[in-house]
C-alpha cells in the first residue's frame, strides 16, 4: 500500500503537501540561525558585529538608521537638516522609498500587460508574424536583461521614467510570447464557430479569445510580475536616486548590514504581497475554469 | 513526420526573417535618430565589438587589467555555468525528494516559498559583503537562484504525476526506489529540462548584474565602466555577446537532452 499523502514523519509517500507550521518553523529557525551566526562571527572576527549584526542591532539601529533615506517634503526635517535618527523618521523613509518602488514596479508591469496582450493577440492572428516574433524573442530572451538597466538610465536619465521603461521592457516579452502561444493552443472550433455567426476578428479577439486564454496566461502574468520586481530592483540599484533598490545600494556602499537586512526585508515583503495580489486577481478572473 | 519537419523549417525561416527585419528596423531608427551616442545602429555596435574584442588600451589606463572579451566572457560564463551546475543539481534532488518526503518538504518549503517569489538579486548586496567582490559571492548567489527555481519546478513536476501511474508500477512489483527511477524521473524530466534552460539564461543575467554591483573582472564590470563613460554601443555589444554565447549554451543543452526526451514524440 502506497500512502497518498505524506503522513509518516520520515516515510515515502506519493504526495507531500505544504504546511503553514513548517513555514513558521522555517522563519523561526532562520532567525535563531542568524543570531547564532552573529555570536560566532562576532566572537571570532574583529568586524563580526558589522558583517552579521545581532538581531537586537537589526531591530534598533538597523531601523532608526534608515532615517537618512528620508528625503524631506512630507513635513518633518531630514537628517541633513539636523533631525535625529528616530523610528518615525525611519518609517517615513521606508514609506517614501517603498512608494517610489511600488509605483515603478506596478506602472511598468501594467504597461507591459497593456501592450503585451493586444500585440500578442495581433501577432497570434498571423502565423508567419508569430513565428517571426518568436525568432526575435528567442534571441532577446537570452540577453542579460537585468544588466541592461544602465542603458535605460543613459537613454532616459536617472529618472522614474527610465525605471518604468526598463520594467516594461523586461515584462513585455513574457506577456507577448505567452499570449501568442496561448492563442496558438486554442482549439480551432472555438474561433471558427463564432466566425460563422458573423463576429468580426476584433469581436472574436475580445469576446472569445481573450477570456479563453486567461487560464493559460495566469502563470505568465505571475512570471511577468516577478520579472517586473527584479527589473525595478536592478534599475534602482544602478543609477536611480530613490526607491528601496537605491537604499539597498547605499547600505552596500557603506557596509551597513543591519540596515541592508531591513531594506531587503521590506522589498521582499512588498514583492511577495504584489505577487499574491496578481495571483488573487488572476484567480478571480479565471475562477470559471477550475 | 515530413509535415512536422516542413512546419519546423517554415518556423525557422520566418524566425530568421523576423531577426532580419528587426536588424533593418533598428538600423533605420538609428539612422533617423542620427546620434550614435544615444542609439547606435547594429553596424556601430558591430564595429565596437570588433575593436573591443581583444582589449581596449583606454580601459587599461583606467586600471582595468583585463579589458578583452574572451577573458571577461570566460570569467562571467564560467562562474555562472559552475553555479548553474551546482545549484541545479541540488535543486533537482531537493525538489524531487521533497515531493515524496514530508520532512524534507517542511525543511525546503520556507526557502522555496520566499525566494520562489522574491527576486534573488535582493540578496546580492549581502553576498557581496559576506563573500567579497571575487567570484565566490556571485557563484553562491547564482547557485542559490538555480537551486530555488529548479527546486520549485522539480517538486511541482513530481507532484503532478498522476498517482495511478505509480500505483500501476507498484502492482508490477516495483519498490519505492525502482518507481522513482522508472516513473518519477522520466515523467518529471521534460519540465526539469525546460527550467534548466530558463535557469541558465536567468543565471547568466543575474551573474552579470551582480558583477555590476562589485567585481574586478567580468562582463558586468565592463558594462558598468562603459555605462559610466556613456558608451551605449559598447554596452550593447557586451550584452549581445553574452546573449549569443548564452544562446549557444542553450542549444547545447537542447541537443544534449533531446535523446532523453525522444519518447515525447
Amino acid at each position: 500500500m502506497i500512502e497518498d499523502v505524506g503522513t509518516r514523519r520520515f516515510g515515502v509517500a506519493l504526495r507531500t503537501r505544504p504546511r503553514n507550521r513548517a513555514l513558521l518553523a522555517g522563519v523561526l529557525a532562520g532567525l535563531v540561525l542568524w543570531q547564532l551566526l552573529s555570536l560566532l562571527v562576532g566572537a571570532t572576527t574583529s568586524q563580526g558585529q558589522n558583517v552579521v549584526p545581532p538581531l537586537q542591532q537589526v531591530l534598533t539601529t538597523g531601523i532608526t538608521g534608515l532615517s537618512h533615506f528620508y528625503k524631506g517634503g512630507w513635513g518633518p526635517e531630514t537628517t541633513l537638516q539636523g533631525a535625529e535618527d528616530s523610528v518615525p523618521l525611519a518609517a517615513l523613509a521606508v514609506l517614501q522609498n517603498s512608494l517610489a518602488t511600488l509605483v515603478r514596479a506596478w506602472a511598468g508591469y501594467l504597461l507591459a500587460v497593456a501592450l503585451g496582450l493586444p500585440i500578442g493577440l495581433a501577432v497570434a492572428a498571423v502565423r508567419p508574424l508569430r513565428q517571426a516574433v518568436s525568432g526575435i524573442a528567442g534571441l532577446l530572451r537570452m540577453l542579460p536583461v537585468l544588466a541592461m538597466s544602465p542603458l535605460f538610465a543613459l537613454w532616459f536619465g536617472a529618472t522614474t521614467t527610465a525605471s518604468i521603461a526598463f520594467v516594461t521592457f523586461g515584462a513585455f516579452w513574457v506577456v507577448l510570447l505567452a499570449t501568442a502561444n496561448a492563442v496558438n493552443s486554442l482549439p480551432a472550433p472555438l474561433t471558427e464557430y463564432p466566425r460563422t455567426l458573423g463576429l468580426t476578428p476584433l469581436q472574436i479577439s475580445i469576446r472569445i479569445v481573450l477570456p479563453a486564454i486567461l487560464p493559460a496566461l495566469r502563470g505568465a502574468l505571475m512570471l511577468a510580475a516577478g520579472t517586473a520586481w527584479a527589473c525595478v530592483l536592478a534599475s534602482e540599484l544602478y543609477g536611480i536616486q530613490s526607491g528601496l533598490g537605491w537604499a539597498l545600494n547605499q547600505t552596500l556602499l557603506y557596509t551597513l548590514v543591519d540596515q541592508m537586512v531591513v531594506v531587503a526585508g521590506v522589498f521582499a515583503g512588498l514583492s511577495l504581497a504584489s505577487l499574491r495580489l496578481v495571483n488573487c486577481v488572476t484567480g478571480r478572473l479565471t475562477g470559471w475554469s477550475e | 513526420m515530413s509535415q512536422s519537419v516542413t512546419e519546423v523549417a517554415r518556423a525557422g525561416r520566418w524566425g530568421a526573417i523576423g531577426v532580419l527585419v528587426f536588424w533593418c528596423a533598428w538600423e533605420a531608427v538609428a539612422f533617423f535618430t542620427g546620434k550614435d551616442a544615444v542609439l547606435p545602429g547594429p553596424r556601430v555596435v558591430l564595429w565596437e565589438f570588433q575593436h573591443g574584442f581583444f582589449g581596449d588600451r583606454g580601459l587599461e589606463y583606467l586600471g582595468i587589467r583585463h579589458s578583452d572579451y574572451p577573458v571577461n566572457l570566460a570569467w562571467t560564463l564560467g562562474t555562472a555555468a559552475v553555479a548553474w551546475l551546482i545549484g541545479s543539481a541540488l535543486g533537482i534532488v531537493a525538489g524531487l525528494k521533497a515531493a515524496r518526503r514530508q520532512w524534507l518538504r517542511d525543511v525546503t518549503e520556507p526557502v522555496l516559498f520566499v525566494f520562489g517569489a522574491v527576486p534573488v538579486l535582493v540578496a546580492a548586496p549581502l553576498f557581496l559583503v559576506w563573500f567579497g567582490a571575487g567570484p565566490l559571492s556571485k557563484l553562491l548567489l547564482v547557485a542559490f537562484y538555480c537551486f530555488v527555481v529548479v527546486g520549485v519546478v522539480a517538486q511541482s513536476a513530481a507532484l503532478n504525476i498522476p498517482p495511478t501511474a505509480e500505483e500501476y508500477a507498484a502492482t508490477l512489483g516495483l519498490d519505492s526506489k525502482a518507481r522513482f527511477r522508472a516513473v518519477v524521473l522520466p515523467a518529471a524530466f521534460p519540465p526539469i529540462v525546460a527550467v534548466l534552460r530558463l535557469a541558465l539564461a536567468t543565471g547568466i543575467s543575474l551573474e552579470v548584474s551582480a558583477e555590476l554591483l562589485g567585481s574586478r573582472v567580468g562582463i558586468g564590470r565592463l558594462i558598468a565602466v562603459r555605462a559610466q563613460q556613456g558608451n551605449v554601443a559598447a554596452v550593447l555589444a557586451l550584452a549581445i555577446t553574452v546573449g549569443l554565447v548564452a544562446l549557444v549554451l542553450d542549444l547545447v543543452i537542447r541537443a544534449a537532452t533531446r535523446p532523453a526526451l525522444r519518447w515525447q514524440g
Side-chain angles (χ1 to χ4, degrees):
Chain A
M1 168 85 182
I2 312 170
E3 284 186 46
D4 187 34
V5 177
T7 47
R8 281 180 295 162
R9 193 168 289 174
F10 294 107
V12 175
L14 279 184
R15 294 279 182 281
T16 55
R17 57 190 169 193
R19 293 198 287 204
N20 286 336
R21 63 180 182 196
L23 269 178
L24 192 67
V27 172
L28 287 175
L31 292 174
V32 171
L33 202 68
W34 178 281
Q35 191 70 357
L36 288 175
L37 198 68
S38 165
L39 290 173
L40 185 73
V41 177
T44 50
T45 60
S46 57
Q47 288 292 315
Q49 297 284 315
N50 294 331
V51 176
V52 190
L55 288 176
Q56 59 269 30
Q57 188 182 327
V58 173
L59 294 173
T60 52
T61 56
I63 292 175
T64 55
L66 298 179
S67 306
H68 296 280
F69 300 120
Y70 171 61
K71 293 192 157 186
W74 285 9
E77 288 188 328
T78 64
T79 50
L80 283 175
Q81 291 166 327
E84 292 288 317
D85 285 2
S86 64
V87 173
L89 210 57
L92 276 182
V94 169
L95 194 63
Q96 203 169 45
N97 288 293
S98 298
L99 272 177
T101 303
L102 273 169
V103 166
R104 288 165 190 156
W106 275 101
Y109 174 66
L110 292 175
L111 207 57
V113 175
L115 290 171
L117 268 178
I119 296 177
L121 285 172
V123 161
V126 186
R127 186 187 287 187
L129 189 59
R130 177 164 49 81
Q131 289 166 339
V133 169
S134 295
I136 302 163
L139 282 178
L140 289 176
R141 185 176 76 85
M142 303 310 289
L143 290 181
V145 174
L146 293 179
M148 291 173 77
S149 63
L151 269 183
F152 286 78
L154 287 172
W155 284 332
F156 298 97
T159 59
T160 293
T161 311
S163 184
I164 293 174
F166 180 59
V167 172
T168 307
F169 171 74
F172 168 75
W173 293 101
V174 179
V175 181
L176 172 76
L177 273 182
T179 306
N181 288 337
V183 176
N184 189 38
S185 305
L186 286 178
L190 198 75
T191 51
E192 283 165 1
Y193 180 63
R195 198 171 290 135
T196 62
L197 296 175
L199 266 71
T200 63
L202 185 67
Q203 284 173 321
I204 291 174
S205 283
I206 295 171
R207 291 169 61 180
I208 310 290
V209 175
L210 194 58
I213 61 169
L214 269 181
L217 273 187
R218 197 175 168 191
L221 290 174
M222 290 285 289
L223 181 65
T227 309
W229 276 90
C231 286
V232 80
L233 180 62
S235 73
E236 290 179 350
L237 277 171
Y238 317 119
I240 291 174
Q241 300 296 309
S242 62
L244 292 172
W246 164 74
L248 201 62
N249 195 18
Q250 294 298 303
T251 60
L252 173 65
L253 279 176
Y254 300 104
T255 326
L256 304 166
V257 178
D258 50 356
Q259 294 174 35
M260 188 186 286
V261 172
V262 178
V263 176
V266 173
F267 182 89
L270 286 178
S271 159
L272 210 57
S274 296
L275 260 72
R276 288 195 83 103
L277 181 63
V278 173
N279 190 34
C280 182
V281 171
T282 52
R284 275 179 177 256
L285 288 173
T286 59
W288 56 268
S289 67
E290 286 163 6
Chain B
M1 178 70 183
S2 64
Q3 195 181 359
S4 81
V5 170
T6 315
E7 185 57 33
V8 169
R10 187 180 295 151
R13 193 166 59 240
W14 279 110
I17 290 172
V19 173
L20 198 66
V21 169
F22 180 74
W23 178 290
C24 294
W26 176 12
E27 189 70 66
V29 173
F31 177 76
F32 286 112
T33 306
K35 289 178 185 167
D36 285 346
V38 178
L39 183 65
R43 282 179 303 144
V44 179
V45 174
L46 199 61
W47 183 90
E48 188 66 46
F49 171 79
Q50 285 170 338
H51 284 78
F53 190 81
F54 291 110
D56 184 333
R57 295 293 293 273
L59 288 183
E60 282 161 24
Y61 283 126
L62 290 174
I64 295 168
R65 281 178 61 197
H66 302 289
S67 62
D68 57 312
Y69 278 49
V71 167
N72 287 288
L73 266 178
W75 180 276
T76 298
L77 295 170
T79 310
V82 171
W84 172 76
L85 276 174
I86 297 170
S88 300
L90 291 174
I92 291 171
V93 173
L96 291 179
K97 296 278 182 191
R100 297 161 64 84
R101 286 178 171 78
Q102 188 63 49
W103 70 269
L104 192 58
R105 176 86 184 259
D106 290 346
V107 170
T108 55
E109 190 73 11
V111 176
L112 298 186
F113 176 80
V114 173
F115 286 98
V118 175
V120 173
L121 185 63
V122 78
L126 207 56
F127 277 63
L128 276 168
V129 171
W130 284 350
F131 305 108
L136 184 64
S137 56
K138 285 93 185 172
L139 189 132
L140 291 174
L141 186 75
V142 177
F144 179 63
Y145 163 76
C146 292
F147 168 77
V148 170
V149 74
V150 175
V152 166
V153 172
Q155 180 178 288
S156 135
L159 288 173
N160 284 336
I161 299 168
T164 45
E166 231 180 307
E167 280 165 359
Y168 181 61
T171 63
L172 296 175
L174 272 71
D175 64 7
S176 172
K177 281 181 183 169
R179 287 199 307 272
F180 186 77
R181 277 196 307 271
V183 180
V184 177
L185 265 183
F189 198 60
I192 288 176
V193 169
V195 79
L196 282 176
R197 292 174 56 201
L198 174 77
L200 181 68
T202 322
I204 291 171
S205 180
L206 187 63
E207 165 76 26
V208 178
S209 48
E211 286 172 359
L212 276 172
L213 275 177
S215 181
R216 287 184 286 273
V217 196
I219 293 291
R221 165 86 171 129
L222 287 187
I223 287 180
V225 175
R226 290 306 199 184
Q228 278 167 8
Q229 293 175 331
N231 191 340
V232 177
V235 174
L236 281 171
L238 287 161
I240 292 170
T241 306
V242 171
L244 288 176
V245 178
L247 190 68
V248 172
L249 290 176
D250 186 60
L251 290 174
V252 170
I253 296 176
R254 282 175 72 174
T257 52
R258 191 167 292 142
L261 294 173
R262 197 170 288 149
W263 61 272
Q264 280 193 303

